[in-house]
Amino acid sequence: MNWLILIIFGIFAIALIVFLIIRNQKDEKEFEKELDNDYPKPMKEDNDFEDFTH
């Protein structure tokens, strides 16, 4: 076997794995931001249930 080809292939494989890990972390952060922004915040009403307990 040609060791040069194996070394080059190994370097490319490691670079691809590192790239995919970094990209996955970035995408996960963006997805969490989207989820936080998409969640409709409940509106505070005057006749809330907590008002009746006090």
Short mmCIF file of all heavy atoms in Angstrom, two decimals:
data_model
loop_
_atom_site.label_atom_id
_atom_site.label_comp_id
_atom_site.label_asym_id
_atom_site.label_seq_id
_atom_site.Cartn_x
_atom_site.Cartn_y
_atom_site.Cartn_z
N MET A 1 0.84 -1.18 0.00
CA MET A 1 0.00 0.00 0.00
C MET A 1 0.88 1.24 0.00
O MET A 1 1.96 1.26 0.56
CB MET A 1 -0.89 0.03 1.24
CG MET A 1 -1.95 -1.02 1.27
SD MET A 1 -3.47 -0.26 1.80
CE MET A 1 -4.48 -0.54 0.41
N ASN A 2 0.34 2.24 -0.56
CA ASN A 2 1.06 3.51 -0.63
C ASN A 2 0.75 4.33 0.62
O ASN A 2 -0.39 4.76 0.82
CB ASN A 2 0.66 4.24 -1.90
CG ASN A 2 1.58 5.38 -2.21
OD1 ASN A 2 2.41 5.74 -1.39
ND2 ASN A 2 1.42 5.95 -3.38
N TRP A 3 1.75 4.51 1.48
CA TRP A 3 1.54 5.21 2.75
C TRP A 3 1.16 6.66 2.55
O TRP A 3 0.42 7.23 3.35
CB TRP A 3 2.80 5.11 3.61
CG TRP A 3 2.95 3.75 4.20
CD1 TRP A 3 3.79 2.77 3.78
CD2 TRP A 3 2.22 3.21 5.30
NE1 TRP A 3 3.63 1.64 4.55
CE2 TRP A 3 2.67 1.89 5.49
CE3 TRP A 3 1.22 3.72 6.13
CZ2 TRP A 3 2.16 1.08 6.48
CZ3 TRP A 3 0.72 2.90 7.12
CH2 TRP A 3 1.18 1.60 7.28
N LEU A 4 1.64 7.28 1.50
CA LEU A 4 1.32 8.68 1.23
C LEU A 4 -0.18 8.86 1.01
O LEU A 4 -0.78 9.79 1.55
CB LEU A 4 2.10 9.18 0.02
CG LEU A 4 1.88 10.65 -0.37
CD1 LEU A 4 2.33 11.56 0.77
CD2 LEU A 4 2.62 10.98 -1.64
N ILE A 5 -0.79 7.97 0.26
CA ILE A 5 -2.24 8.06 0.01
C ILE A 5 -3.01 7.84 1.31
O ILE A 5 -3.99 8.55 1.59
CB ILE A 5 -2.65 7.03 -1.07
CG1 ILE A 5 -2.03 7.40 -2.41
CG2 ILE A 5 -4.16 6.95 -1.20
CD1 ILE A 5 -2.24 6.38 -3.50
N LEU A 6 -2.59 6.89 2.13
CA LEU A 6 -3.26 6.65 3.40
C LEU A 6 -3.15 7.84 4.35
O LEU A 6 -4.12 8.20 5.04
CB LEU A 6 -2.70 5.39 4.07
CG LEU A 6 -3.06 4.07 3.40
CD1 LEU A 6 -2.33 2.93 4.10
CD2 LEU A 6 -4.55 3.85 3.43
N ILE A 7 -2.00 8.47 4.39
CA ILE A 7 -1.81 9.63 5.26
C ILE A 7 -2.68 10.80 4.79
O ILE A 7 -3.35 11.45 5.60
CB ILE A 7 -0.32 10.02 5.32
CG1 ILE A 7 0.46 8.95 6.06
CG2 ILE A 7 -0.14 11.38 5.97
CD1 ILE A 7 1.97 9.12 6.00
N ILE A 8 -2.70 11.04 3.49
CA ILE A 8 -3.53 12.13 2.95
C ILE A 8 -5.01 11.84 3.22
O ILE A 8 -5.75 12.73 3.64
CB ILE A 8 -3.25 12.33 1.44
CG1 ILE A 8 -1.84 12.87 1.25
CG2 ILE A 8 -4.27 13.26 0.82
CD1 ILE A 8 -1.40 12.93 -0.20
N PHE A 9 -5.44 10.62 2.98
CA PHE A 9 -6.83 10.25 3.25
C PHE A 9 -7.16 10.41 4.73
O PHE A 9 -8.24 10.90 5.09
CB PHE A 9 -7.09 8.81 2.81
CG PHE A 9 -8.49 8.36 3.06
CD1 PHE A 9 -9.53 8.77 2.25
CD2 PHE A 9 -8.78 7.52 4.14
CE1 PHE A 9 -10.83 8.36 2.49
CE2 PHE A 9 -10.08 7.10 4.39
CZ PHE A 9 -11.11 7.53 3.56
N GLY A 10 -6.26 10.03 5.62
CA GLY A 10 -6.47 10.18 7.06
C GLY A 10 -6.60 11.63 7.47
O GLY A 10 -7.46 11.99 8.29
N ILE A 11 -5.77 12.49 6.90
CA ILE A 11 -5.84 13.92 7.22
C ILE A 11 -7.18 14.50 6.76
O ILE A 11 -7.82 15.25 7.49
CB ILE A 11 -4.65 14.67 6.58
CG1 ILE A 11 -3.36 14.27 7.29
CG2 ILE A 11 -4.86 16.18 6.64
CD1 ILE A 11 -2.10 14.78 6.61
N PHE A 12 -7.60 14.14 5.55
CA PHE A 12 -8.90 14.63 5.06
C PHE A 12 -10.05 14.09 5.90
O PHE A 12 -11.01 14.81 6.17
CB PHE A 12 -9.10 14.26 3.58
CG PHE A 12 -8.38 15.17 2.64
CD1 PHE A 12 -7.49 14.65 1.72
CD2 PHE A 12 -8.59 16.54 2.66
CE1 PHE A 12 -6.80 15.48 0.85
CE2 PHE A 12 -7.91 17.38 1.79
CZ PHE A 12 -7.01 16.85 0.88
N ALA A 13 -9.97 12.86 6.34
CA ALA A 13 -11.03 12.28 7.16
C ALA A 13 -11.11 12.99 8.51
O ALA A 13 -12.21 13.32 8.99
CB ALA A 13 -10.78 10.79 7.36
N ILE A 14 -9.97 13.26 9.12
CA ILE A 14 -9.96 13.97 10.41
C ILE A 14 -10.48 15.39 10.23
O ILE A 14 -11.26 15.88 11.05
CB ILE A 14 -8.55 13.95 11.02
CG1 ILE A 14 -8.20 12.53 11.45
CG2 ILE A 14 -8.45 14.90 12.20
CD1 ILE A 14 -6.76 12.34 11.87
N ALA A 15 -10.08 16.06 9.16
CA ALA A 15 -10.55 17.42 8.89
C ALA A 15 -12.07 17.44 8.68
O ALA A 15 -12.76 18.35 9.16
CB ALA A 15 -9.84 18.00 7.67
N LEU A 16 -12.60 16.43 8.00
CA LEU A 16 -14.04 16.35 7.78
C LEU A 16 -14.78 16.15 9.10
O LEU A 16 -15.81 16.80 9.35
CB LEU A 16 -14.37 15.21 6.81
CG LEU A 16 -15.86 14.97 6.55
CD1 LEU A 16 -16.48 16.18 5.86
CD2 LEU A 16 -16.05 13.71 5.73
N ILE A 17 -14.27 15.31 9.95
CA ILE A 17 -14.91 15.06 11.25
C ILE A 17 -14.91 16.33 12.09
O ILE A 17 -15.92 16.69 12.70
CB ILE A 17 -14.22 13.89 11.97
CG1 ILE A 17 -14.52 12.58 11.24
CG2 ILE A 17 -14.67 13.79 13.42
CD1 ILE A 17 -13.72 11.39 11.72
N VAL A 18 -13.78 17.03 12.13
CA VAL A 18 -13.70 18.28 12.90
C VAL A 18 -14.68 19.31 12.33
O VAL A 18 -15.39 19.99 13.07
CB VAL A 18 -12.25 18.82 12.90
CG1 VAL A 18 -12.19 20.23 13.46
CG2 VAL A 18 -11.35 17.89 13.69
N PHE A 19 -14.72 19.43 11.00
CA PHE A 19 -15.65 20.37 10.36
C PHE A 19 -17.09 20.04 10.72
O PHE A 19 -17.88 20.93 11.05
CB PHE A 19 -15.47 20.33 8.84
CG PHE A 19 -16.52 21.09 8.09
CD1 PHE A 19 -16.50 22.47 8.06
CD2 PHE A 19 -17.54 20.41 7.44
CE1 PHE A 19 -17.48 23.17 7.37
CE2 PHE A 19 -18.52 21.09 6.74
CZ PHE A 19 -18.49 22.49 6.71
N LEU A 20 -17.47 18.78 10.68
CA LEU A 20 -18.84 18.38 10.98
C LEU A 20 -19.20 18.64 12.44
O LEU A 20 -20.32 19.06 12.75
CB LEU A 20 -19.07 16.91 10.64
CG LEU A 20 -19.06 16.58 9.15
CD1 LEU A 20 -19.17 15.07 8.95
CD2 LEU A 20 -20.19 17.30 8.44
N ILE A 21 -18.27 18.44 13.35
CA ILE A 21 -18.53 18.69 14.77
C ILE A 21 -18.75 20.19 15.00
O ILE A 21 -19.70 20.59 15.69
CB ILE A 21 -17.37 18.16 15.63
CG1 ILE A 21 -17.39 16.63 15.63
CG2 ILE A 21 -17.46 18.68 17.06
CD1 ILE A 21 -16.19 16.00 16.29
N ILE A 22 -17.88 21.02 14.42
CA ILE A 22 -18.03 22.47 14.59
C ILE A 22 -19.32 22.95 13.97
O ILE A 22 -20.05 23.77 14.55
CB ILE A 22 -16.81 23.20 13.98
CG1 ILE A 22 -15.55 22.88 14.80
CG2 ILE A 22 -17.04 24.70 13.92
CD1 ILE A 22 -14.27 23.36 14.18
N ARG A 23 -19.64 22.46 12.80
CA ARG A 23 -20.88 22.88 12.11
C ARG A 23 -22.12 22.45 12.90
O ARG A 23 -23.08 23.19 13.00
CB ARG A 23 -20.90 22.25 10.71
CG ARG A 23 -22.07 22.59 9.88
CD ARG A 23 -22.06 24.03 9.48
NE ARG A 23 -23.25 24.30 8.72
CZ ARG A 23 -23.47 25.41 8.06
NH1 ARG A 23 -22.58 26.36 8.07
NH2 ARG A 23 -24.57 25.58 7.39
N ASN A 24 -22.08 21.26 13.49
CA ASN A 24 -23.20 20.76 14.27
C ASN A 24 -23.43 21.63 15.50
O ASN A 24 -24.58 21.94 15.84
CB ASN A 24 -22.96 19.31 14.69
CG ASN A 24 -24.16 18.71 15.35
OD1 ASN A 24 -25.28 19.13 15.10
ND2 ASN A 24 -23.94 17.72 16.20
N GLN A 25 -22.37 22.05 16.17
CA GLN A 25 -22.51 22.91 17.35
C GLN A 25 -23.10 24.26 16.96
O GLN A 25 -23.94 24.81 17.66
CB GLN A 25 -21.17 23.08 18.04
CG GLN A 25 -20.69 21.83 18.72
CD GLN A 25 -19.29 21.98 19.30
OE1 GLN A 25 -18.60 22.95 19.03
NE2 GLN A 25 -18.89 21.02 20.11
N LYS A 26 -22.66 24.81 15.83
CA LYS A 26 -23.18 26.09 15.36
C LYS A 26 -24.66 25.97 15.02
O LYS A 26 -25.47 26.83 15.38
CB LYS A 26 -22.39 26.54 14.14
CG LYS A 26 -22.83 27.87 13.59
CD LYS A 26 -22.03 28.23 12.36
CE LYS A 26 -22.58 29.49 11.71
NZ LYS A 26 -21.92 29.78 10.44
N ASP A 27 -25.03 24.91 14.30
CA ASP A 27 -26.42 24.71 13.93
C ASP A 27 -27.30 24.50 15.16
O ASP A 27 -28.45 24.94 15.20
CB ASP A 27 -26.57 23.51 12.98
CG ASP A 27 -26.04 23.81 11.59
OD1 ASP A 27 -25.84 25.01 11.28
OD2 ASP A 27 -25.81 22.85 10.83
N GLU A 28 -26.78 23.82 16.17
CA GLU A 28 -27.55 23.58 17.39
C GLU A 28 -27.85 24.90 18.10
O GLU A 28 -28.97 25.11 18.57
CB GLU A 28 -26.78 22.64 18.31
CG GLU A 28 -27.55 22.25 19.55
CD GLU A 28 -26.78 21.26 20.41
OE1 GLU A 28 -25.77 20.71 19.95
OE2 GLU A 28 -27.21 21.05 21.55
N LYS A 29 -26.87 25.79 18.16
CA LYS A 29 -27.09 27.10 18.79
C LYS A 29 -28.13 27.91 18.02
O LYS A 29 -29.00 28.54 18.62
CB LYS A 29 -25.77 27.87 18.87
CG LYS A 29 -24.81 27.31 19.87
CD LYS A 29 -23.50 28.08 19.86
CE LYS A 29 -22.48 27.44 20.78
NZ LYS A 29 -21.19 28.12 20.71
N GLU A 30 -28.05 27.89 16.69
CA GLU A 30 -29.03 28.61 15.88
C GLU A 30 -30.43 28.02 16.06
O GLU A 30 -31.42 28.76 16.13
CB GLU A 30 -28.63 28.57 14.41
CG GLU A 30 -27.41 29.39 14.09
CD GLU A 30 -27.00 29.28 12.63
OE1 GLU A 30 -27.72 28.64 11.84
OE2 GLU A 30 -25.92 29.82 12.30
N PHE A 31 -30.53 26.70 16.15
CA PHE A 31 -31.82 26.05 16.33
C PHE A 31 -32.44 26.42 17.68
O PHE A 31 -33.64 26.68 17.78
CB PHE A 31 -31.66 24.53 16.22
CG PHE A 31 -32.94 23.77 16.36
CD1 PHE A 31 -33.93 23.87 15.41
CD2 PHE A 31 -33.15 22.96 17.46
CE1 PHE A 31 -35.12 23.17 15.54
CE2 PHE A 31 -34.32 22.26 17.61
CZ PHE A 31 -35.32 22.36 16.64
N GLU A 32 -31.61 26.48 18.72
CA GLU A 32 -32.11 26.87 20.04
C GLU A 32 -32.61 28.31 20.03
O GLU A 32 -33.64 28.63 20.64
CB GLU A 32 -31.03 26.70 21.10
CG GLU A 32 -30.75 25.25 21.43
CD GLU A 32 -29.62 25.09 22.44
OE1 GLU A 32 -29.04 26.11 22.87
OE2 GLU A 32 -29.32 23.94 22.80
N LYS A 33 -31.92 29.19 19.32
CA LYS A 33 -32.38 30.59 19.22
C LYS A 33 -33.72 30.65 18.50
O LYS A 33 -34.61 31.42 18.87
CB LYS A 33 -31.34 31.43 18.48
CG LYS A 33 -30.12 31.75 19.31
CD LYS A 33 -29.15 32.60 18.52
CE LYS A 33 -27.88 32.84 19.31
NZ LYS A 33 -26.89 33.61 18.53
N GLU A 34 -33.87 29.86 17.43
CA GLU A 34 -35.15 29.84 16.71
C GLU A 34 -36.27 29.34 17.59
O GLU A 34 -37.39 29.88 17.56
CB GLU A 34 -35.03 28.95 15.47
CG GLU A 34 -34.30 29.57 14.32
CD GLU A 34 -34.29 28.68 13.10
OE1 GLU A 34 -35.18 27.79 12.99
OE2 GLU A 34 -33.40 28.86 12.26
N LEU A 35 -36.02 28.31 18.37
CA LEU A 35 -37.05 27.79 19.26
C LEU A 35 -37.43 28.83 20.31
O LEU A 35 -38.61 28.97 20.64
CB LEU A 35 -36.57 26.51 19.96
CG LEU A 35 -36.52 25.26 19.11
CD1 LEU A 35 -36.01 24.09 19.95
CD2 LEU A 35 -37.88 24.92 18.54
N ASP A 36 -36.45 29.54 20.85
CA ASP A 36 -36.74 30.57 21.84
C ASP A 36 -37.58 31.70 21.24
O ASP A 36 -38.47 32.24 21.90
CB ASP A 36 -35.45 31.15 22.42
CG ASP A 36 -34.74 30.15 23.32
OD1 ASP A 36 -35.41 29.19 23.78
OD2 ASP A 36 -33.54 30.33 23.57
N ASN A 37 -37.30 32.06 20.00
CA ASN A 37 -38.03 33.16 19.36
C ASN A 37 -39.40 32.73 18.86
O ASN A 37 -40.30 33.56 18.76
CB ASN A 37 -37.21 33.73 18.20
CG ASN A 37 -35.99 34.47 18.68
OD1 ASN A 37 -35.95 34.96 19.81
ND2 ASN A 37 -34.98 34.54 17.85
N ASP A 38 -39.58 31.46 18.54
CA ASP A 38 -40.86 30.99 18.00
C ASP A 38 -41.89 30.73 19.09
O ASP A 38 -43.09 30.69 18.81
CB ASP A 38 -40.66 29.70 17.19
CG ASP A 38 -40.01 29.98 15.85
OD1 ASP A 38 -39.98 31.15 15.44
OD2 ASP A 38 -39.54 29.02 15.22
N TYR A 39 -41.45 30.55 20.33
CA TYR A 39 -42.38 30.23 21.40
C TYR A 39 -43.23 31.45 21.72
O TYR A 39 -42.71 32.50 22.08
CB TYR A 39 -41.62 29.78 22.65
CG TYR A 39 -42.52 29.46 23.82
CD1 TYR A 39 -43.30 28.32 23.81
CD2 TYR A 39 -42.62 30.31 24.90
CE1 TYR A 39 -44.13 28.02 24.86
CE2 TYR A 39 -43.45 30.03 25.96
CZ TYR A 39 -44.20 28.89 25.94
OH TYR A 39 -45.02 28.59 26.98
N PRO A 40 -44.56 31.34 21.60
CA PRO A 40 -45.40 32.50 21.93
C PRO A 40 -45.47 32.68 23.44
O PRO A 40 -45.86 31.78 24.17
CB PRO A 40 -46.76 32.12 21.34
CG PRO A 40 -46.76 30.64 21.29
CD PRO A 40 -45.32 30.22 21.10
N LYS A 41 -45.08 33.84 23.88
CA LYS A 41 -45.10 34.11 25.31
C LYS A 41 -46.54 34.38 25.74
O LYS A 41 -47.27 35.11 25.07
CB LYS A 41 -44.22 35.30 25.62
CG LYS A 41 -42.76 35.01 25.33
CD LYS A 41 -41.91 36.20 25.66
CE LYS A 41 -40.45 35.87 25.54
NZ LYS A 41 -39.98 35.62 24.22
N PRO A 42 -46.99 33.78 26.84
CA PRO A 42 -48.37 34.00 27.28
C PRO A 42 -48.57 35.44 27.71
O PRO A 42 -47.70 36.05 28.32
CB PRO A 42 -48.53 33.03 28.45
CG PRO A 42 -47.15 32.73 28.90
CD PRO A 42 -46.25 32.88 27.71
N MET A 43 -49.73 35.95 27.38
CA MET A 43 -50.04 37.33 27.74
C MET A 43 -50.55 37.36 29.18
O MET A 43 -51.33 36.51 29.61
CB MET A 43 -51.10 37.89 26.80
CG MET A 43 -50.61 38.01 25.37
SD MET A 43 -51.85 38.65 24.26
CE MET A 43 -52.16 40.23 24.99
N LYS A 44 -50.12 38.34 29.91
CA LYS A 44 -50.55 38.50 31.30
C LYS A 44 -51.92 39.17 31.28
O LYS A 44 -52.11 40.25 30.73
CB LYS A 44 -49.53 39.37 32.05
CG LYS A 44 -49.80 39.51 33.50
CD LYS A 44 -49.43 38.26 34.24
CE LYS A 44 -49.60 38.51 35.73
NZ LYS A 44 -49.35 37.34 36.51
N GLU A 45 -52.89 38.52 31.89
CA GLU A 45 -54.25 39.06 31.94
C GLU A 45 -54.54 39.53 33.36
O GLU A 45 -53.94 39.09 34.33
CB GLU A 45 -55.26 38.00 31.53
CG GLU A 45 -55.11 37.57 30.08
CD GLU A 45 -56.15 36.54 29.69
OE1 GLU A 45 -57.05 36.25 30.50
OE2 GLU A 45 -56.06 36.02 28.57
N ASP A 46 -55.50 40.43 33.48
CA ASP A 46 -55.86 40.95 34.79
C ASP A 46 -56.55 39.87 35.65
O ASP A 46 -56.36 39.82 36.85
CB ASP A 46 -56.79 42.14 34.65
CG ASP A 46 -56.06 43.34 34.04
OD1 ASP A 46 -54.81 43.38 34.18
OD2 ASP A 46 -56.70 44.20 33.45
N ASN A 47 -57.32 39.03 35.03
CA ASN A 47 -58.05 37.99 35.76
C ASN A 47 -57.26 36.69 35.71
O ASN A 47 -57.76 35.67 35.26
CB ASN A 47 -59.44 37.79 35.15
CG ASN A 47 -60.26 39.05 35.29
OD1 ASN A 47 -60.07 39.81 36.23
ND2 ASN A 47 -61.15 39.28 34.35
N ASP A 48 -56.08 36.71 36.21
CA ASP A 48 -55.24 35.53 36.20
C ASP A 48 -55.61 34.63 37.38
O ASP A 48 -56.15 35.05 38.38
CB ASP A 48 -53.77 35.93 36.30
CG ASP A 48 -52.83 34.87 35.76
OD1 ASP A 48 -53.33 33.81 35.36
OD2 ASP A 48 -51.62 35.13 35.70
N PHE A 49 -55.35 33.35 37.26
CA PHE A 49 -55.71 32.39 38.29
C PHE A 49 -54.99 32.70 39.61
O PHE A 49 -55.54 32.49 40.68
CB PHE A 49 -55.37 30.96 37.84
CG PHE A 49 -55.71 29.91 38.84
CD1 PHE A 49 -57.04 29.57 39.10
CD2 PHE A 49 -54.72 29.25 39.54
CE1 PHE A 49 -57.36 28.61 40.02
CE2 PHE A 49 -55.03 28.29 40.47
CZ PHE A 49 -56.35 27.96 40.73
N GLU A 50 -53.76 33.20 39.52
CA GLU A 50 -53.02 33.51 40.74
C GLU A 50 -53.70 34.60 41.54
O GLU A 50 -53.57 34.65 42.76
CB GLU A 50 -51.59 33.92 40.37
CG GLU A 50 -50.80 32.80 39.74
CD GLU A 50 -49.44 33.28 39.26
OE1 GLU A 50 -49.12 34.45 39.49
OE2 GLU A 50 -48.72 32.48 38.66
N ASP A 51 -54.42 35.50 40.87
CA ASP A 51 -55.10 36.58 41.60
C ASP A 51 -56.20 36.05 42.49
O ASP A 51 -56.50 36.63 43.54
CB ASP A 51 -55.70 37.58 40.60
CG ASP A 51 -54.59 38.33 39.84
OD1 ASP A 51 -53.47 38.37 40.37
OD2 ASP A 51 -54.87 38.85 38.75
N PHE A 52 -56.81 34.95 42.13
CA PHE A 52 -57.91 34.41 42.90
C PHE A 52 -57.42 33.65 44.14
O PHE A 52 -58.18 33.44 45.07
CB PHE A 52 -58.75 33.45 42.05
CG PHE A 52 -59.44 34.14 40.90
CD1 PHE A 52 -59.21 33.75 39.59
CD2 PHE A 52 -60.30 35.20 41.13
CE1 PHE A 52 -59.83 34.38 38.55
CE2 PHE A 52 -60.94 35.84 40.08
CZ PHE A 52 -60.70 35.43 38.80
N THR A 53 -56.18 33.24 44.16
CA THR A 53 -55.68 32.46 45.31
C THR A 53 -55.24 33.36 46.44
O THR A 53 -55.05 32.89 47.54
CB THR A 53 -54.50 31.58 44.87
OG1 THR A 53 -53.45 32.38 44.36
CG2 THR A 53 -54.95 30.55 43.86
N HIS A 54 -55.08 34.65 46.20
CA HIS A 54 -54.60 35.55 47.26
C HIS A 54 -55.73 36.32 47.87
O HIS A 54 -56.61 36.81 47.42
CB HIS A 54 -53.55 36.53 46.71
CG HIS A 54 -52.31 35.81 46.29
ND1 HIS A 54 -51.33 35.44 47.16
CD2 HIS A 54 -51.90 35.38 45.08
CE1 HIS A 54 -50.37 34.85 46.53
NE2 HIS A 54 -50.69 34.79 45.24
#
